[in-house]
Amino acid sequence: MVERPRGTNDWGPQDMAKRRFVESRFIQLAESFGFREVSTPTFESLELFTAKSGLGIVRELYAFKDQGGRDLALRPEFTASILRFYVSSLRSLPKPLKLYTAGNAFRYEEPQKGRYREFYQLNAEIIGGASLPSDAEAVALAIGTMRAIGLKQVKARIGNIGVLRSFLPFSPTDQSIVLHSLDKRNFPMLDAELARLGRKDLSTPLRKLVELSGDASILNDAAKVLGGASTEGLDYLRDLAGFLDDYGVSRSDYTFDMGVVRGLDYYTGMVFEIDSPNLGAEKQVGGGGAYRLSEIFGGEPVAQTGFALGLDRLVMAAEAEGTIEAPRPLDAYVVPVGDTARKKAIQILTSLRAAGLGADIDLIGRGPSKNLDYANAIGARFAVILGERELKQGRATVREMATGVQREVALDDLVDTVRNV
Ligand code: AMP
């Protein structure tokens, strides 16, 4: 028996119904926001992911050489692929481009509940809009998706990495190192790096900044910490909150949090993360923000913003809150009684399917009572029993499985009978 690789999952029919429920809510909402679907390869040139994040990211990737000696990697996320696609082929499309995609991503992580090596993301990107309206639209879609799934417990944290960046007068590489230590809240490392850069004085204000979280009043506190430095990034967040009010996003759905430092290096402005508080350690269901990647891949500078929601965790959150709707049951299970009835039964089955109904048929040749047990077990709404006597009269016996009530109907009326409950 060969086991599946560590950190991967098999999803059975019940799991998949739940996953499709969550995914379809995202797709419906994204389409209603005017986003359109794209698809990019599951593997890319390794370079795509090291271009901005550096070689350090390789140990978090499924990176490999193919038989032609090319360095490739399974995608750890979608944004880099979509921006590569944009720069190579989509630049001439009318802007802004609003794109979504859903699929699997791969990271070489230590597996645990809600953290896998193959996982699924729901991803949306806006390219070439003005920053503020695009950021607001992205956050509204992300929070709106959680609401569309029926989740009540939604806690977004919105920050602005631009504020931190403008406070760090270092080269991009050194900025990344300092931001990384802040992201991990690794203060010894922060202090060591600041000492190396001759700016130990920044340690206290930086620590204060990343601890600030709460309602809009913390933006005033942040301004105080920044002292004379630019507060543009804080004003931006106040304006964003105004836009979110207009979208109908409740202020209780999010807090401002100056400590949101996204792990990937390409974020430049507004950044956010969303938690589903009842998921425990792996409560973060999504994150995103404004970034610069087009330029890195040789495109023109345009505003870019987007987010990814983790499908696996959204499903766990939806299960915990009991919001998942049962899939549509099978409408009819056709039971031919006796071999001569089978040919006619297949024709009737086909006519039910052609009418858009879900219909299945006995494939084993079981007797009628075993077949009714099976119809019950698979949750069929009706069993359509076709005996030779009924067929001769152009009739079928229709049994409503929930009540056990049976009646004979003319074959001409069968579709209508099954369609109307
Ligand atoms: P990130 O780009 O790392 O912020 O990922 C976005 C979302 O994807 C996270 O908030 C998680 O919900 C989900 N996610 C990331 N990594 C994993 C993983 N290894 N397993 C399951 N979900 C993940």
Side-chain angles (χ1 to χ4, degrees), residues 407-421:
R407 62 195 166 107
E408 269 194 26
V409 301
L411 288 178
D412 288 345
D413 297 334
L414 186 61
V415 165
D416 286 339
T417 307
V418 171
R419 185 173 281 136
N420 306 319
V421 184

Side-chain angles (χ1 to χ4, degrees), residues 266-282:
Y266 50 67
Y267 290 99
T268 49
M270 183 278 299
V271 279
F272 69 102
E273 288 173 345
I274 310 184
D275 296 336
S276 177
N278 55 13
L279 288 190
E282 304 308 313

Side-chain angles (χ1 to χ4, degrees), residues 23 34 106 128 133 141 156 180 182 210 212 214 259 280 290 332 339 344 362 395:
E23 183 189 62
F106 306 83
L141 176 60
H180 181 72
L182 284 171
V210 297
L212 288 175
D339 279 346
K344 184 71 184 159
D362 165 73
R395 302 177 77 77

Side-chain angles (χ1 to χ4, degrees), residues 142-157:
I143 293 180
T145 297
M146 297 192 60
R147 293 286 180 220
I149 296 165
L151 297 173
K152 296 215 160 45
Q153 300 206 31
V154 176
K155 276 282 167 231
R157 291 171 280 114

Side-chain angles (χ1 to χ4, degrees), residues 5 12 41 54 71 75 113 146 151 172 179 221 243 266 281 284 291 301 314 332 354 364 375 417:
D71 281 309
R75 60 185 176 206
K113 192 173 190 304
M146 297 192 60
L151 297 173
L179 286 174
D221 302 336
F243 273 58
Y266 50 67
Q284 195 178 306
Y291 58 89
L314 283 178
I364 292 186
T417 307

